[in-house]
Amino acid sequence: MKILVCISKTPDTTSKIAFKNNQTQFDEAGVQWIINPYDEWFSLVRAIEIKEKDAASIIHLVTVGGADCDPIIRKALALGGDEAFRINAESNDSFYIAAQIAELAKKNGYDIIFTGKEAIDYNSSAIGGMIAELTDLPYISLATLFTLDGSTATITREIEGGEEVASVSLPVVVSCQKGIAEQRIPNMRGIMAARTKPLQVIEPSPIDALTSIVSFELPPAKAGCKMVAADNVPELIRLLHEEAKAF
Amino acid sequence: MSVLIYIEHAEGHIKKSANEVLTYGTKLAAQMGTSAAGLLLGTVKDNLADLGRFGVTTIHQVSNETLNQLDSQVTAKAIADAATQTGATVIIFSQTPTGKSIASRVAARLKAGLVAGAAALPDTSNGFVVRKTVFSGKAFANISITSAIKVIALNPNSLSAVETTGIATVSPLTLTIDAAKITTTAVNIISGEVPLTEADIVVSGGRGLKGPENWGVLLDLAKVLGAGTACSRPVGDAHWRPHHEHVGQTGVQIAPNLYIALGISGAIQHLAGVNRSKVMVVINKDPEAPFFKAADYGIVGDLFEIVPQMTAEIKKLKGIV
Ligand SMILES: Cc1cc2nc3c(=O)[nH]c(=O)nc-3n(C[C@H](O)[C@H](O)[C@H](O)COP(=O)(O)OP(=O)(O)OC[C@H]3O[C@@H](n4cnc5c(N)ncnc54)[C@H](O)[C@@H]3O)c2cc1C
Ligand SMILES: Nc1ncnc2c1ncn2[C@@H]1O[C@H](COP(=O)(O)O)[C@@H](O)[C@H]1O
C-alpha cells in the first residue's frame, strides 16, 4: 500500500489572532506552529495503523510551504512517515496547493491520499476534493471510519444530521476527522529515526493561483456579558425572549 | 454570465441550507446585473417551482435517480457541465458536509477560484472580493477571486433566507452522467434529533454535568426549545455523548441563533466552534470561567438548579403544560 499524507503547518490552537501591515498579513509574532491537528491526529495515525498491519506499506508525507515547515514535517516523520516531500512554495490559494500535490501524486502513484478535514487556519476543507479532481480519483470527505479489505475501502463519512457508509476501490482520496484514529505522541525512537529519514525539497510546478488575500478583519468586540442573578431565572428567559429575540 | 446555485437535498426534501444559498445567489445576481438559476441533481418530493419564493426564476433539474446518492466525482462533473451549458460564471454552494465534498472538485475542474466558508455577499465594486471566516471564526479574510469562473461555498446560518411570492420555471437539463465508483451501503440519519449544523438553537453540555446519567436536565431544556444538542470535547472523548455532538476547533463548527452552554468552561478551542453563534448564554458555577467573556448572557450558579427552572419558565412562556 502506497499512502500519501498531506501535512499542513498551522498556528497552535491557543494562538492570539492578530494582523499587521494595515491588516493585510497574519501577525506571526509569538505564534507556536503545529502540525494541523486533523493531519497529525487522524490522517497520519490512520496511515501508520495501515502500515502496522501491512509492513510492505510506504507512507509519504507532503507539505506545500517554505523552509519554516521543516520542523513540522520532521515531527510527522517522527510519528511514523517514511519519506517526506516539501514543495517549496508559499501560497494561500487552495487550487495552487492542491495542484502542486496532484503533480506529485500523478508522478508517484498512490493507493490512498489522506488529507485532514480542514486546516484550522483558513478552514476551507477544500484541498482533498481538489486533489481528487485533478488526479481523477474518487473522494470521500469527512471520514470518521476507514477500513481496508484488500483493495476495497469501506468508509463512514459525516453527512448532515448523520453518517453514510460507502465502499470504493482504491485508489481514493479521503479527508479525515475524529473517529478515524486516536492521537499518538511521538516516542524517542521515532524522533531519532526521523533525523535520517529523507526530506526532499522540490521546486513547484508553474501553476497560477486563482485567489489572493486582500485583507483581514477581526470581528467587532462583544458588548459584554449581561449577568443575571441565580435566583432570577425568569429574568434570563425574559431577556432571551424579548431582548435577544432568540426564540 | 449568470449565477448557478446548487440545491442540496436529502431523503426527498430540499435542505434548509439550500434556501439560504438561493437567497444569496439571487442577491448576488441582482448586484451583478445578471440572472440566477438553481440546479437540482436527482429527484425530490418537494415542489421545485416553489423555490421561486427565494427569488430564483429558473430551476434546472437533471432528474437522473442515480444522482440522489453522492459520488463527488460524478456530481462535480455534472455540475461543471451544467455550468458550462447554462453559461454560469459564478457557482454557489453551501459549506455543508455535502458542499465540502463537491464545491472544491467543481472549482478544480473549472479552474475556478474558490472561497469556501463565505460569510457575506461579494464586493463587486472593484474586482470580486468575498469575505470568509478564518481561524475558526476568530477573524475574517477578504479574498479576491481572479479567475473568470468563481465558486463560493457559503457558511450555513450566515444569512437568513428571504421569502417572497415568486414561482420558478423548472427546466429539465440533459447531461451525460458517469457511472459512480462509490457505492453507498448505508445511510444512518440520527432520527428525532435536529441536525447540529442546521439547528437554530443548540443546548450544549460540558464536564460540569458530571456524567452521562445527568443529561436529562439538558435534554429537557433542548426539547422545549426544539434545540439540537452538543457537547464539549472531553464529554465526547469520555463517550458520555456521541462524538458527532462534539463542537469546537476539532469538532463540528456551528453558528446557531442561540447557543446555551451548560457546565462548559469556554476554552479557546471550544469557542472556536461556537463563536459565530448570534447569542450565547452561559450557565457556570465558576464566576471566573472564561466563557463569560465571550457570552452575551450568563448566570453564575449550579446548572442542576438553574436549568430545570429555565425549562419550566420556557414551558410557561410557550403555554406547554
Ligand atoms: C488542540 C486542541 C483542540 C481542542 N479541541 C476542542 C474542541 O474542539 N472542543 C472542545 O470543547 N474542546 C477542545 N479542546 C479541549 C479544551 O481545551 C478544553 O479542555 C475543553 O473544552 C474543556 O471542556 P469542558 O468545558 O467541558 O470541561 P472543563 O474545562 O472541565 O469545564 C467544566 C466547567 O463546568 C463548570 N461546572 C462544574 N460543575 C458545575 C455545576 N454544577 N454547575 C455549573 N457549572 C459547573 C466548571 O466551573 C467548569 O467551568 C481542545 C484542546 C486542544 C489542546
Ligand atoms: N500547504 C499544504 N501542504 C500540504 N497539505 C495541505 C496544505 N494545506 C492544506 N493541506 C491539506 O489539506 C487539508 C485541508 O486543508 P484546507 O482545504 O486548506 O482546509 C489539510 O488538513 C491538509 O491535510
Side-chain angles (χ1 to χ4, degrees), chain A residues 13 37 41, chain B residues 206-208 210 231-235 246-251 263-267 269-270 283-286 289 301-304:
Chain A
T13 53
W41 302 354
Chain B
R207 252 196 318 227
K210 306 283 191 294
C231 66
S232 69
R233 179 172 157 216
V235 165
H246 154 199
V247 291
Q249 181 115 46
T250 48
I264 302 176
S265 57
Q269 297 93 352
H270 183 84
I283 313 294
N284 195 304
K285 69 175 183 191
D286 173 12
D302 182 350
L303 73 91
F304 295 107

Side-chain angles (χ1 to χ4, degrees), chain A residues 5-10 36-40 43 61-66 69 73 85 87 89-94 97-98 101 114-131 139 174-176, chain B residues 95 104 114 116 132:
Chain A
V5 181
C6 302
I7 301 284
S8 55
K9 178 190 103 175
T10 52
N36 184 39
Y38 291 103
D39 309 348
E40 176 185 341
S43 46
L61 310 176
V62 63
T63 192
V64 180
C69 292
I73 204 117
F85 299 89
I87 303 174
E90 310 239 8
S91 177
N92 290 314
D93 180 49
S94 304
I97 296 168
I101 297 172
F114 281 132
T115 74
K117 165 189 164 178
E118 65 177 35
I120 62 165
D121 48 7
Y122 294 105
N123 313 114
S124 293
S125 215
I127 301 288
M130 288 188 172
I131 297 172
Y139 173 52
V174 179
S175 82
C176 305
Chain B
Q95 181 77 337
S104 52
L114 167 72
K132 84 176 279 302

